[in-house]
């Protein structure tokens, strides 16, 4: 993934000219953004915008480090609680700097807390279409290869989707292997053994070595109902392990998971926004 760096007195960012499509139009992205003052940040953004314009591109998405596989989104609202593991962070003025450069929100997300004693008390009837099983703790590279291939298929129709190679995916996720807890990772398999869905959870080690929250980081399914069953198994296992809270992380507002989180008693504690700028408008 090719990037260009822009540094000014008091600000820096990375520019990716080959970003994903936005409404069917190729876009550049701006990521790794930081600024000491709004004025410095605005100056850097203006430089990036002119570079994108000179490259003949008329869409910019940010913050996004090239694609949605990497870091993207700004925190837009918060209850002030500490960031959880792998959560995007930014200074409070960063969204206003992007707005000052002409960017507007194009997608919104949230994270919610769920009391496990409440949500884990409800169980689902077994499905005839698939069974859910935890990861056995072996062959972590094989685990992430399975996750990669199902993710590519499940997420291909998502907005701002851009393919990534298996090797790049493994390079991103293999470093987290020492933090994995096999009881928080689940697969849904059809009767023929093929993969119907997965759920990747992880303790919130940002709290310290003995966290009380478990993060439902990512899940995807290709079979109707598999997502609900995977989440149910995750909640019950997290409770059995001694966690008291589940964090439903970084859910798109329009995703079916958003409604499910609310039904399960989720309380939103953080909101996020992704911004876009059309240069042809």
């Amino acid at each position: 993934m090719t990037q260009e760096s822009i540094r000014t007195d008091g600000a820096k960012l990375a520019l990716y000219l080959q970003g994903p499509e936005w409404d069917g139009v190729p876009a550049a992205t701006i990521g790794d953004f930081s600024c000491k003052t709004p004025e410095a940040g605005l100056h850097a953004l203006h430089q990036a915008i002119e570079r994108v314009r000179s490259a003949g591109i008329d869409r910019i998405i940010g913050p996004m480090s090239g694609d949605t596989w990497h870091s993207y989104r700004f925190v837009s609202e918060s209850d002030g609680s500490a960031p959880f593991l792998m959560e995007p962070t930014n200074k409070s003025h960063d969204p206003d700097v992007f707005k000052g450069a002409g960017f507007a929100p194009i997608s919104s997300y949230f994270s919610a807390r769920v009391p496990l004693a409440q949500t884990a008390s409800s169980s689902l009837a077994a499905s005839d279409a698939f069974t859910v099983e935890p990861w056995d703790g072996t062959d972590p590279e094989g685990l992430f290869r399975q996750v990669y291939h199902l993710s590519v298929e499940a997420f291909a129709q998502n907005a701002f989707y851009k393919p990534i190679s298996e090797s790049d995916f493994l390079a991103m996720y293999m470093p987290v292997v020492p933090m994995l807890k096999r009881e928080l990772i689940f697969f849904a398999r059809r009767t023929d053994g093929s993969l119907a869905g997965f759920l990747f959870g992880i303790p919130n080690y940002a709290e310290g070595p003995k966290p009380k929250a478990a993060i439902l980081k990512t899940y995807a399914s290709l079979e109707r109902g598999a997502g609900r069953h995977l989440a149910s198994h995750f909640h019950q296992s997290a409770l059995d392990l001694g966690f008291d809270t589940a964090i439903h992380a970084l859910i798109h507002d329009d995703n079916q998971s958003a409604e499910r989180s609310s039904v399960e008693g989720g309380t939103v504690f953080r909101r996020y926004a992704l911004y876009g700028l059309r240069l042809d408008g």
Side-chain angles (χ1 to χ4, degrees), residues 69 133-155 166 169-170 173-174 185-190 193-200 218 220-222:
W69 300 99
E133 60 186 32
W135 177 42
D136 63 9
T138 66
D139 188 16
E141 184 170 322
L143 161 73
F144 282 112
R145 287 187 190 279
Q146 292 183 73
V147 168
Y148 167 78
H149 288 289
L150 190 137
S151 296
V152 167
E153 186 173 355
F155 299 151
E166 183 182 79
F169 181 87
L170 292 176
Y173 283 98
M174 290 305 290
I185 298 171
F186 293 89
F187 293 108
R189 296 194 182 277
R190 302 182 183 93
S194 61
L195 195 60
F198 76 88
L199 183 149
F200 173 58
T218 306
S221 64
L222 302 175

Side-chain angles (χ1 to χ4, degrees), residues 195-265:
L195 195 60
F198 76 88
L199 183 149
F200 173 58
I202 192 167
N204 182 25
Y205 289 119
E207 296 178 9
K210 296 182 179 180
K212 300 304 293 179
I215 305 167
L216 199 170
K217 181 67 174 67
T218 306
Y219 71 104
S221 64
L222 302 175
E223 194 77 42
R224 184 177 178 85
R228 291 180 61 210
H229 281 263
L230 287 162
S232 177
H233 278 75
F234 166 82
H235 290 141
Q236 185 60 60
S237 183
L239 182 65
D240 292 344
L241 288 169
F243 296 99
D244 59 28
T245 303
I247 295 175
H248 292 172
L250 303 163
I251 299 173
H252 193 288
D253 282 0
D254 297 331
N255 195 298
Q256 187 178 16
S257 302
E259 180 179 352
R260 190 174 301 145
S261 178
S262 177
V263 169
E264 290 170 345

Side-chain angles (χ1 to χ4, degrees), residues 64-238:
M64 180 184 288
S65 296
D67 53 46
T68 55
W69 300 99
H70 295 84
S71 178
Y72 71 106
R73 297 169 285 208
F74 276 145
V75 172
S76 55
E77 296 179 30
S78 175
D79 67 354
S81 57
F84 57 83
L85 186 71
M86 297 186 284
E87 182 183 13
T89 59
N90 54 270
K91 292 181 179 177
S92 59
H93 63 232
D94 288 350
D96 288 334
V97 176
F98 268 64
K99 292 177 187 177
F103 286 78
I106 57 174
S107 198
S108 54
Y109 314 80
F110 70 88
S111 293
R113 295 188 188 91
V114 178
L116 286 169
Q118 173 182 319
T119 193
S121 63
S122 58
S123 59
L124 299 174
S127 170
D128 294 331
F130 54 82
T131 57
V132 176
E133 60 186 32
W135 177 42
D136 63 9
T138 66
D139 188 16
E141 184 170 322
L143 161 73
F144 282 112
R145 287 187 190 279
Q146 292 183 73
V147 168
Y148 167 78
H149 288 289
L150 190 137
S151 296
V152 167
E153 186 173 355
F155 299 151
Q157 301 305 313
N158 288 2
F160 317 119
Y161 175 82
K162 182 183 177 183
I164 186 175
S165 71
E166 183 182 79
S167 59
D168 286 345
F169 181 87
L170 292 176
M172 289 169 52
Y173 283 98
M174 290 305 290
V176 308
V177 166
M179 295 187 288
L180 298 183
K181 201 167 189 65
R182 65 180 183 84
E183 297 93 340
L184 298 178
I185 298 171
F186 293 89
F187 293 108
R189 296 194 182 277
R190 302 182 183 93
T191 54
D192 63 1
S194 61
L195 195 60
F198 76 88
L199 183 149
F200 173 58
I202 192 167
N204 182 25
Y205 289 119
E207 296 178 9
K210 296 182 179 180
K212 300 304 293 179
I215 305 167
L216 199 170
K217 181 67 174 67
T218 306
Y219 71 104
S221 64
L222 302 175
E223 194 77 42
R224 184 177 178 85
R228 291 180 61 210
H229 281 263
L230 287 162
S232 177
H233 278 75
F234 166 82
H235 290 141
Q236 185 60 60
S237 183

